[in-house]
Amino acid sequence: MRIVIIGGTGFIGSRLAAQLADHGHELLSVQRRISAALPQSIRQLACDHQELHAVSSQLRGFRPDVVIDVISSSAGQARSTVEVCAGYTGRIVSVSSQDVYKAFGIFHGTEEGGIEPVPLTEDSPRRSRRDTYPRELLVRLRKERSWVTEEYSNAEMEDVVMNAAAQPSTVLRLPMVYGPGDYIHRLYPILKRIDDGRQVIPIADLVAQWRSPRGYVDNVAAAIALAAESTAAAGQVFNVAEPESFSEQEWTKLVADAAGWNGSITVIPFDRAPAHLRLPGNFAQHGASSSSRIRELLGYREIIDRGEALLRTIAWERAHPPDPLPKFDYVAEEASVSEIQGGPTRLPILE
């Protein structure tokens, strides 16, 4: 197949490009800068997503069977993709996020209503408001992902793509993605405590029980590649996630075990936990999701098992710590643990 990838050098896009190249497809990757990291077999085109019309003749001249848009996050970006591809592309595959669901709006306090049932499926209610995140979270998201705009709204993006008359489309809603190259460094807060010699990892009780979907980056890329290659994916929306939605406490233990740590994870009452452990959110609203549709319709299965995925991610996190390093109030953590255990504990305090 001839496939265009918009955003083929990012955290997920680079894995996707490599897998599709291995499958023998002819690829054109579109991103802001030419990258030496991509295989030489992949053609490249330097262009910002907002300026796709400026390179429309090159994109149409490539005659793609499928265009995969990894970085579209707003209606405006989606319209650019649809307009450039109209009449020249067999299908568009757009990468979205499970934050499109109303449940995540309930969690962040941007949606009104009661608790949404889980696991979330592709038919679960979506957000009714454009405001996906509280303002401060959107600002942080834009720093982490340069392609995110002020108009960030996956729901509006999905509507533009799925209602395009010129070609059928596919949408994949992604979970929290971890793995080598993760710019959010999702595993690092756990590993820092372990590598600092802590014997106890404390978690506030409301946070500890919260369940959310996750996926290893290579497995997520494999799901996108499968959807691009399969005609059965046309007109479909798919959740992508590991089969289990672990609680934060369960996930912490999985990471700690993979890192070879033999300490203990201690749950602390939320109102008695140090301020840095009292994370914001309505933790009564879980984000657990089902990925049964893509597994049943397309036969999707993870290509890397969780044990290996964690080992690879841990090795990368230790070799590439975030800058600046996160800081934790270990004195406050120790005091909280001592209080609930009914007496002082002798934990190392590292400077």
Side-chain angles (χ1 to χ4, degrees), residues 47-316:
C47 176
D48 188 278
H49 199 307
Q50 308 296 324
E51 301 169 354
L52 282 183
H53 286 89
V55 295
S56 60
S57 59
Q58 293 99 310
L59 291 174
R60 292 167 179 171
F62 185 70
R63 296 178 289 108
D65 299 297
V66 175
V67 170
I68 307 174
D69 194 341
V70 183
I71 58 175
S72 187
S73 67
S74 69
Q77 289 172 323
R79 285 192 199 95
S80 294
T81 303
V82 168
E83 289 169 2
V84 168
C85 294
Y88 295 88
T89 302
R91 185 158 52 95
I92 295 175
V93 175
S94 283
V95 174
S96 184
S97 167
Q98 291 177 34
D99 67 19
V100 74
Y101 292 117
K102 181 179 179 181
F104 284 95
I106 297 294
F107 176 84
H108 288 297
T110 58
E111 293 276 333
E112 298 179 353
I115 299 299
E116 289 290 314
V118 293
L120 301 170
T121 72
E122 292 84 354
D123 298 320
S124 294
R126 297 188 310 165
R127 297 172 179 275
S128 61
R129 298 178 57 184
R130 165 180 281 188
D131 298 334
T132 305
Y133 296 108
R135 180 66 185 176
E136 62 276 11
L137 283 183
L138 180 59
V139 170
R140 190 176 74 187
L141 184 67
R142 294 190 66 203
K143 290 180 180 179
E144 295 167 348
R145 308 175 194 184
S146 58
W147 43 269
V148 170
T149 69
E150 288 279 353
E151 292 75 35
Y152 181 89
S153 174
N154 282 342
E156 293 180 350
M157 179 275 286
E158 290 184 4
D159 288 341
V160 171
V161 172
M162 295 302 289
N163 292 324
Q167 64 274 308
S169 300
T170 302
V171 165
L172 296 108
R173 295 172 178 163
L174 304 191
M176 293 190 292
V177 183
Y178 65 96
D182 174 15
Y183 40 78
I184 300 179
H185 293 275
R186 297 185 187 277
L187 268 61
Y188 195 80
I190 302 171
L191 294 173
K192 177 164 174 56
R193 288 181 170 89
I194 292 172
D195 293 344
D196 280 352
R198 308 306 296 169
Q199 299 173 16
V200 173
I201 296 178
I203 310 179
D205 54 5
L206 298 182
V207 180
Q209 55 82 42
W210 188 66
R211 296 184 179 275
S212 59
R214 295 178 175 86
Y216 181 61
V217 61
D218 290 81
N219 294 330
V220 168
I224 301 170
L226 179 62
E229 294 168 335
S230 175
T231 56
Q236 296 286 341
V237 176
F238 297 108
N239 283 343
V240 178
E242 294 178 355
E244 307 91 348
S245 292
F246 293 106
S247 70
E248 291 297 302
Q249 183 178 3
E250 292 169 341
W251 182 248
T252 299
K253 181 169 179 13
L254 285 171
V255 175
D257 287 349
W261 184 66
N262 59 4
S264 62
I265 299 168
T266 300
V267 177
I268 300 172
F270 192 88
D271 58 356
R272 291 157 63 183
H276 65 282
L277 297 182
R278 298 197 300 270
L279 303 179
N282 179 359
F283 290 98
Q285 176 62 71
H286 293 277
S289 70
S290 168
S291 57
S292 60
R293 179 181 291 180
I294 193 171
R295 297 176 187 277
E296 294 170 1
L297 186 60
L298 302 187
Y300 169 71
R301 298 293 183 272
E302 283 78 5
I303 60 173
I304 306 292
D305 67 65
R306 185 183 300 110
E308 179 62 24
L310 287 173
L311 289 177
R312 292 183 186 184
T313 308
I314 289 168
W316 179 85

